[in-house]
Amino acid sequence: MFEAAELGRKLSREEFDSIAPQLRNELLELQHQLRGADFPVIIVFAGVDGAGKNETANLLSEWMDPRWIVTRAYGKPSDEEGERPLYWRYWRDLPPKGKIGLFLSSWYHAPLVDRAFGKISVAEQDESLERIANFEKTLADEGALILKFWMHLSSKAQKKRLEKLEKDPLTAWQVTDSDWAHWKMYEKFAAAAERLVMHTSKGHAPWAIVEGQDSRYRSAVVLTAIRDAVAKHIEARAVAKQVAAEIKKKPAAKAKAKETVLDTQPSILSSLDMTLAVEGQEYVQQLQEQRGRLAKLHQKAKERGVSTVLVFEGWDAAGKGGTVRRLTAALNARDVQVIPIAAPTEEERAQHYLWRFWRHLSRAGRVTVFDRSWYGRVLVERVEGFCSEEAWRRAYAEINDFEAQLAEHGTVLAKFWLHITPEEQLARFKSRETIDYKKWKLTDEDWRNREKTPAYEIAINDMVERTSTRLAPWTLVEANNKNYARVKVLTTVCDALEAGLKKQKK
Amino acid sequence: MFEAAELGRKLSREEFDSIAPQLRNELLELQHQLRGADFPVIIVFAGVDGAGKNETANLLSEWMDPRWIVTRAYGKPSDEEGERPLYWRYWRDLPPKGKIGLFLSSWYHAPLVDRAFGKISVAEQDESLERIANFEKTLADEGALILKFWMHLSSKAQKKRLEKLEKDPLTAWQVTDSDWAHWKMYEKFAAAAERLVMHTSKGHAPWAIVEGQDSRYRSAVVLTAIRDAVAKHIEARAVAKQVAAEIKKKPAAKAKAKETVLDTQPSILSSLDMTLAVEGQEYVQQLQEQRGRLAKLHQKAKERGVSTVLVFEGWDAAGKGGTVRRLTAALNARDVQVIPIAAPTEEERAQHYLWRFWRHLSRAGRVTVFDRSWYGRVLVERVEGFCSEEAWRRAYAEINDFEAQLAEHGTVLAKFWLHITPEEQLARFKSRETIDYKKWKLTDEDWRNREKTPAYEIAINDMVERTSTRLAPWTLVEANNKNYARVKVLTTVCDALEAGLKKQKK
């Protein structure tokens, strides 16, 4: 694979100067155009030590407008980073639409080095590489342009390069013992790199292998490739927009199948016993009991650094707010964070839709409560047509992957759908209209949503089918009786915490 | 995940009859339309035993025109199948364009059962599932419509179903001990199934989870989904064709970058020492020696059932034919098969481009020589524009995956590019013109190809970069001197055989 990057390709100074000024202008011009674009550019530099990753990154930063490009490099996870799932730091650093993010020693670092050192097996490396492929696909599916450059040096060239750096007193400090240790393991690194490139070179995120020995050749190749790819992507997005608009016009695409007997089948919500209730003294007692249990369990989780993420979804007026309040009341305010999900902010709109959930993941031992969540994509966005069918269909896999990362990190995750019957909802709406201090809670939108109940039922059923997994199960809560719902939620959270703590012990 | 398929959904006879006749007509009508389509339909039925996979398959076959639908089910690999890579039997059975293939207990069987029985770890299951995902993506990328139905039964419903079958003397034989053994492992199967569905439900090959308890409901859901998907795919392919035509018209898409100093860089072929030669007695001796070695090694490989696949690519007049003859002369004719790859047959054109190579894989212990090969896609098809850029770009990954399957099966694989300089080629062309019995070998196409040498050089360089891997390395052969080339090829084949036999021993 890498033999084609050991040919001694090089450019003389004159050759380089014959293309550099124009290339630089074009890059700047493209960067300017990019500012109005609806996608970010993600550039990854990786490869053999000494093959010029840093030098090329520096040149790129020097040539471009620094306000619209940001370079990130990663070392060992910081305390802050280590307390969250591995990819949290990468999500945090993703460039918004219109900007370029340049990543050094990125998500590719560990799967390469750990495999070269034999810390992980081939199958484990493949698992890391599949996670990478999913990550990049998730970003590319929303439009991101992803470019990856593997800078290569032969074993001989790497040795020469290290020796040259060592000789010069000004650069000798750059060469560390670990550089030489890695060089001695050249073959192992090459084998791990080959598998890495093979498994993660995809149409939407291809690797370009670059001969790294000659800095002028290397820079010219990389910068030319970036120029061409950005120009092509800007054009492709414009064409795609046009095509989508034309397809929308076609009458056939809109034709809706007639309703048949299949459309009147029960959904998963119909399996709930909506008469379940708990009242009076029994309620007070159970609530107290579970709150005490929660306080104790959370104390243990906090000591052990186990985080908790709770997701609340449900019909309008199903009692999410009240339930969340009963729950948080059992916890120390400093340990819990409630995130109400409404319309995204300007900053959030400039990012992938999952970005704003990743950013809210708390440090170790904390409880994060999402009042509405990433499931908006497969609920309201699907029903209201705010995103394409393709987008909400692929969201199930994206969400499963996100939640699998939480689970792997040891985070306790519980997801609740608070269900009330249409009759109960109507009664609650009406009561809200008449009680002054509750009036503000009822909007015209609530009435409009109510008309879409059948469409929501289908969406909820699909959501449970696709995202209720062993790692992250849904709990459907019979919430016609608020007391019952509150006790059930509290009990489920406690059970999940207990199970999570037990698992961690193993 | 499966709880949404345990709701007791069912259709009465009247309800079923209210939609059945029309559905049946529509399916037949679509099947008729499909015959002119440029894609095959691949339908997979899988799921819980007793959930109605067979019954639904039977109904589908009964309703449709049996000439254009074929049903395949798989048991333990036969002798014939076991001697080839695992997926050989699935490739062999793929439906051609315009037909429907219905697969029961297919490529999903082993990853499910082996995981449920704990024969493979979660990571190993994930590897099998990634292989499946790659297989289905490869087919879908060329246009195949892939539909997958997971028929579900709850543990309770499965028990009831088995008991009912046992009670009736006419169906009791259908229930085996292994059915009950599987039922007792219900939870393990469910966990394995959940992972399977999660990892292989992709936009281009989604799973639909179907409640299997009621046969009328199950049939209506599956057949309706098939009808809708086929109709949509026929339309989508037509739209895509139109869009592609429109994009082609855009002048910007065609604009070619000016040539720069980067385009004059050496390719991997320039690294070869074209003066290498071996003559006279030395040649005869080396040839004899390697032929003897090959005969012995092949004998061993035959005894041990190790197959060999040899790929020959190279410039026109580079001497592929002569080299292959020297090689096969050392082997027993019955053990070797030379496959000359020219234009595909009609049957082959109706299949995925890799199909015609899969079909030629030989039984254990044989040698298969491909005179030109699957690399046509990234060489001639790329250079001549016979396939889209997207198609040849993704072919690298498809080819790597194909060759990885050969390697995993233990097949010895060697790939040769026979290189001659343009001057040598010209000399050989001219000599062919003058020698009567060689005239037929030279066509106008050879002269035309010659003009495209620079484009081929880029394609060859990319091919080596992308597909020369540790599992399946390329050998570039300096072939200006025919003798040298023959000895190098023979020696390389022997070395590969030797290494393969050693590996198998471990």
Side-chain angles (χ1 to χ4, degrees):
Chain A
M1 174 172 281
F2 299 116
E3 58 268 49
E6 298 180 356
L7 302 174
R9 288 159 167 169
K10 60 183 166 211
L11 294 186
S12 66
R13 176 156 298 285
E14 292 70 40
E15 284 175 320
F16 185 76
D17 289 346
S18 76
I19 56 167
Q22 199 192 337
L23 185 54
R24 189 170 180 172
N25 275 337
E26 287 167 339
L27 279 167
L28 269 171
E29 165 57 27
L30 275 171
Q31 205 184 3
H32 186 76
Q33 278 182 45
L34 196 58
R35 284 172 53 190
D38 64 344
F39 64 88
V41 179
I42 294 162
I43 300 176
V44 174
F45 283 179
V48 176
D49 289 337
K53 291 175 293 225
N54 289 316
E55 292 86 333
T56 317
N58 290 343
L59 183 66
L60 187 63
S61 306
E62 190 191 318
W63 276 19
M64 299 196 98
D65 185 333
R67 288 171 300 171
W68 310 100
I69 185 169
V70 60
T71 303
R72 300 284 186 181
Y74 300 88
K76 287 225 168 89
S78 68
D79 283 5
E80 275 270 341
E81 290 166 349
E83 291 177 13
R84 279 125 169 159
L86 189 62
Y87 275 54
W88 178 76
R89 58 179 180 169
Y90 306 129
W91 274 94
R92 183 174 57 165
D93 288 346
L94 287 176
K97 288 167 189 168
K99 282 204 185 189
I100 298 174
L102 178 55
F103 293 87
L104 294 162
S105 46
S106 63
W107 41 93
Y108 285 101
H109 187 70
L112 175 73
V113 176
D114 289 351
R115 179 62 204 132
F117 277 94
K119 280 189 206 163
I120 54 174
S121 69
V122 168
E124 284 167 334
Q125 191 195 21
D126 285 353
E127 292 244 289
S128 315
L129 299 178
E130 202 193 340
R131 162 122 315 140
I132 290 177
N134 286 342
F135 174 53
E136 292 177 346
K137 181 155 197 320
T138 293
L139 301 176
D141 276 340
E142 294 273 305
L145 171 63
I146 304 176
L147 302 171
K148 305 185 292 193
F149 297 93
W150 189 269
M151 320 268 187
H152 181 73
L153 277 186
S154 68
S155 167
K156 230 167 86 182
Q158 192 186 15
K159 187 172 179 226
K160 233 164 122 182
R161 165 102 179 142
L162 291 174
E163 284 170 349
K164 194 179 158 194
L165 287 170
E166 268 185 338
K167 248 186 216 156
D168 184 340
L170 284 174
T171 56
W173 61 272
Q174 286 185 31
V175 181
T176 63
D177 289 351
S178 101
D179 286 334
W180 282 112
H182 284 193
W183 175 76
K184 278 182 197 140
M185 295 168 62
Y186 188 90
E187 245 318 296
K188 285 187 176 161
F189 269 92
E194 185 182 288
R195 200 161 182 97
L196 181 153
V197 170
M198 261 171 74
H199 279 245
T200 57
S201 206
K202 308 277 179 179
H204 56 266
W207 277 107
I209 298 172
V210 182
E211 183 159 356
Q213 205 170 354
D214 179 73
S215 71
R216 284 185 292 260
Y217 171 77
R218 184 220 309 135
S219 303
V221 165
V222 171
L223 299 180
T224 305
I226 291 173
R227 177 199 65 190
D228 293 346
V230 172
K232 204 173 146 192
H233 202 67
I234 289 176
E235 196 189 296
R237 297 282 294 176
V239 170
K241 231 182 226 169
Q242 244 181 298
V243 168
E246 272 166 51
I247 288 175
K248 239 187 182 167
K249 276 189 231 152
K250 288 192 192 281
K254 281 188 186 170
K256 211 179 145 358
K258 278 174 300 174
E259 194 161 286
T260 74
V261 286
L262 287 176
D263 299 312
T264 57
Q265 292 292 322
S267 88
I268 183 105
L269 295 174
S270 64
S271 66
L272 300 179
D273 175 1
M274 296 308 290
T275 65
L276 288 169
V278 52
E279 299 296 353
Q281 200 45 41
E282 203 188 343
Y283 166 62
V284 174
Q285 199 188 321
Q286 288 187 8
L287 194 71
Q288 295 286 36
E289 199 178 301
Q290 294 303 326
R291 280 164 76 163
R293 198 179 154 214
L294 179 61
K296 265 188 227 155
L297 283 165
H298 172 63
Q299 192 52 40
K300 230 186 249 177
K302 200 176 152 187
E303 282 159 18
R304 299 224 216 127
V306 172
S307 302
T308 304
V309 168
L310 304 175
V311 170
F312 287 88
E313 295 281 355
W315 299 109
D316 291 329
K320 287 194 300 291
T323 308
V324 168
R325 275 198 306 281
R326 298 311 183 283
L327 184 95
T328 53
L331 301 167
N332 209 324
R334 77 171 92 182
D335 296 333
V336 60
Q337 169 180 215
V338 178
I339 315 285
I341 298 297
T345 65
E346 191 190 339
E347 243 187 279
E348 289 169 344
R349 280 197 306 275
Q351 293 278 3
H352 191 277
Y353 81 95
L354 281 175
W355 185 81
R356 64 175 175 143
F357 306 107
W358 272 98
R359 76 190 299 205
H360 285 303
L361 296 182
S362 305
R363 298 191 61 169
R366 310 277 172 88
V367 177
T368 314
V369 179
F370 287 93
D371 184 347
R372 304 205 186 273
S373 69
W374 43 94
Y375 284 98
R377 172 131 303 203
V378 297
L379 294 171
V380 56
E381 289 189 52
R382 167 183 176 175
V383 171
E384 300 287 347
F386 293 159
C387 70
S388 69
E389 177 171 343
E390 215 194 329
W392 61 258
R393 281 199 186 277
R394 70 170 175 257
Y396 297 123
E398 292 164 355
I399 288 171
N400 285 338
D401 192 56
F402 172 46
E403 293 178 354
Q405 291 187 62
L406 292 175
E408 276 168 36
H409 182 68
T411 302
V412 172
L413 174 63
K415 309 185 289 194
F416 298 98
W417 177 268
L418 267 57
H419 182 54
I420 51 173
T421 54
E423 301 73 37
E424 175 67 20
Q425 190 185 43
L426 188 64
R428 291 190 189 178
F429 279 11
K430 290 211 163 141
S431 117
R432 282 183 177 183
E433 277 183 327
T434 56
I435 303 175
D436 256 3
Y437 70 89
K438 282 196 173 173
K439 255 186 195 158
W440 61 272
K441 286 173 102 175
L442 191 69
T443 64
D444 288 350
E445 213 186 307
D446 290 329
W447 290 107
R448 275 198 303 277
N449 285 344
R450 208 175 131 74
E451 283 162 28
K452 293 189 176 148
T453 303
Y456 271 104
E457 276 223 32
I458 294 171
I460 293 157
N461 197 73
D462 287 352
M463 171 183 85
V464 172
E465 183 178 290
R466 291 292 160 187
T467 63
S468 193
T469 61
R470 273 157 182 74
L471 289 176
W474 273 101
T475 302
L476 305 177
V477 181
E478 302 83 350
N480 266 7
N481 177 284
K482 286 183 181 177
N483 296 344
Y484 179 84
R486 288 163 187 172
V487 172
K488 179 164 178 176
V489 166
L490 268 169
T491 311
T492 308
V493 172
C494 288
D495 292 349
L497 256 171
E498 217 164 57
L501 289 168
K502 215 186 226 165
K503 214 195 259 168
Q504 197 220 24
K505 242 186 186 163
K506 276 191 206 166
Chain B
M1 174 173 282
F2 299 115
E3 57 268 51
E6 299 180 356
L7 303 175
R9 289 158 166 168
K10 60 183 166 216
L11 294 185
S12 67
R13 177 157 297 284
E14 291 71 39
E15 284 176 318
F16 185 74
D17 289 347
S18 76
I19 56 168
Q22 199 192 335
L23 185 54
R24 191 171 178 170
N25 274 337
E26 286 167 339
L27 280 167
L28 269 171
E29 165 56 27
L30 277 170
Q31 206 184 1
H32 185 76
Q33 279 182 46
L34 197 59
R35 284 172 51 190
D38 64 343
F39 63 89
V41 179
I42 294 162
I43 302 176
V44 174
F45 283 177
V48 176
D49 288 336
K53 292 175 294 225
N54 288 317
E55 291 88 333
T56 317
N58 289 343
L59 184 66
L60 187 63
S61 305
E62 190 192 316
W63 278 18
M64 299 195 99
D65 185 334
R67 287 172 300 173
W68 309 99
I69 184 168
V70 59
T71 303
R72 299 285 186 182
Y74 300 88
K76 288 223 168 93
S78 68
D79 282 5
E80 275 271 342
E81 291 167 348
E83 291 176 13
R84 280 130 169 153
L86 189 61
Y87 275 55
W88 178 76
R89 57 178 180 169
Y90 306 128
W91 275 92
R92 182 175 57 165
D93 288 346
L94 288 175
K97 289 167 190 168
K99 282 205 186 188
I100 300 174
L102 179 55
F103 293 87
L104 294 162
S105 47
S106 62
W107 41 93
Y108 284 100
H109 187 72
L112 175 72
V113 176
D114 289 351
R115 180 62 205 131
F117 276 95
K119 279 188 206 162
I120 54 173
S121 69
V122 169
E124 284 166 334
Q125 191 196 18
D126 285 353
E127 292 243 290
S128 314
L129 298 178
E130 203 192 340
R131 162 119 320 137
I132 290 177
N134 286 342
F135 173 54
E136 292 177 345
K137 183 159 195 319
T138 293
L139 301 177
D141 276 341
E142 293 275 304
L145 171 63
I146 304 176
L147 302 170
K148 303 183 292 192
F149 297 93
W150 189 270
M151 319 266 185
H152 181 72
L153 276 187
S154 68
S155 168
K156 231 166 86 183
Q158 193 186 14
K159 188 173 177 224
K160 235 165 122 181
R161 164 102 178 140
L162 291 174
E163 284 171 348
K164 195 181 158 193
L165 286 171
E166 269 185 339
K167 249 187 216 155
D168 184 341
L170 283 173
T171 56
W173 63 272
Q174 284 186 32
V175 182
T176 63
D177 288 352
S178 101
D179 285 335
W180 282 112
H182 285 192
W183 175 75
K184 276 180 197 140
M185 295 167 62
Y186 189 90
E187 244 318 296
K188 284 185 178 162
F189 269 93
E194 185 182 289
R195 201 162 182 98
L196 181 153
V197 170
M198 261 172 73
H199 278 245
T200 57
S201 207
K202 307 277 179 181
H204 57 265
W207 278 107
I209 298 172
V210 181
E211 184 158 356
Q213 205 169 352
D214 179 71
S215 71
R216 284 185 291 262
Y217 171 77
R218 184 220 309 135
S219 303
V221 164
V222 170
L223 299 181
T224 304
I226 292 173
R227 177 199 64 189
D228 294 346
V230 171
K232 205 173 147 194
H233 204 64
I234 289 176
E235 195 189 296
R237 297 282 294 177
V239 171
K241 231 181 227 173
Q242 245 181 298
V243 167
E246 273 167 50
I247 288 174
K248 239 187 183 169
K249 277 189 232 153
K250 287 189 193 286
K254 282 189 186 169
K256 215 185 138 6
K258 277 173 300 175
E259 195 161 284
T260 73
V261 285
L262 287 176
D263 300 310
T264 56
Q265 292 292 321
S267 87
I268 183 104
L269 294 174
S270 64
S271 66
L272 301 179
D273 176 0
M274 296 308 291
T275 64
L276 289 169
V278 53
E279 299 294 353
Q281 201 44 44
E282 203 188 343
Y283 165 62
V284 174
Q285 198 188 321
Q286 287 187 10
L287 194 70
Q288 296 287 34
E289 199 177 302
Q290 294 303 326
R291 280 163 76 163
R293 196 176 155 218
L294 179 60
K296 265 188 228 156
L297 282 164
H298 173 62
Q299 193 50 40
K300 229 186 250 177
K302 202 178 151 187
E303 282 159 18
R304 298 225 215 126
V306 172
S307 303
T308 304
V309 168
L310 304 175
V311 171
F312 287 90
E313 296 279 356
W315 299 109
D316 292 328
K320 288 193 300 290
T323 308
V324 168
R325 274 198 306 281
R326 298 309 182 284
L327 184 95
T328 53
L331 301 167
N332 208 324
R334 76 171 92 180
D335 296 333
V336 61
Q337 167 180 217
V338 179
I339 315 284
I341 298 297
T345 65
E346 193 191 339
E347 242 187 280
E348 289 169 344
R349 281 196 306 276
Q351 293 278 4
H352 190 279
Y353 81 95
L354 281 174
W355 184 82
R356 63 174 176 146
F357 306 108
W358 271 99
R359 73 189 303 203
H360 285 303
L361 297 182
S362 304
R363 298 191 62 170
R366 311 275 172 90
V367 177
T368 314
V369 179
F370 288 93
D371 184 349
R372 303 207 187 273
S373 68
W374 44 93
Y375 285 97
R377 173 133 301 205
V378 297
L379 295 171
V380 55
E381 291 189 51
R382 169 184 175 175
V383 171
E384 299 287 346
F386 293 159
C387 69
S388 68
E389 176 171 345
E390 216 194 327
W392 62 257
R393 280 198 187 279
R394 69 171 177 257
Y396 298 123
E398 292 163 354
I399 287 172
N400 284 338
D401 192 57
F402 171 46
E403 293 178 354
Q405 292 186 60
L406 292 176
E408 276 167 35
H409 182 68
T411 302
V412 172
L413 174 64
K415 309 184 289 193
F416 299 98
W417 177 268
L418 267 55
H419 182 54
I420 52 173
T421 53
E423 300 73 35
E424 176 67 20
Q425 189 186 41
L426 188 63
R428 292 191 188 179
F429 278 10
K430 290 209 165 144
S431 116
R432 284 184 177 182
E433 277 182 328
T434 55
I435 303 176
D436 256 3
Y437 69 89
K438 281 195 174 175
K439 253 184 193 160
W440 62 272
K441 285 174 102 176
L442 192 69
T443 64
D444 288 351
E445 213 186 308
D446 290 330
W447 289 107
R448 274 198 303 277
N449 285 344
R450 209 175 129 75
E451 282 162 28
K452 294 187 176 151
T453 302
Y456 272 104
E457 277 224 31
I458 294 171
I460 293 157
N461 197 76
D462 287 353
M463 172 183 84
V464 171
E465 183 178 291
R466 292 291 161 186
T467 63
S468 194
T469 62
R470 272 156 183 72
L471 289 176
W474 273 102
T475 303
L476 305 177
V477 181
E478 302 82 350
N480 268 8
N481 177 282
K482 286 183 182 178
N483 297 344
Y484 179 84
R486 289 164 187 175
V487 171
K488 179 164 178 177
V489 166
L490 269 169
T491 310
T492 308
V493 171
C494 289
D495 291 349
L497 255 172
E498 215 164 59
L501 289 169
K502 215 186 228 166
K503 216 194 254 165
Q504 197 222 23
K505 241 187 185 164
K506 275 191 206 162

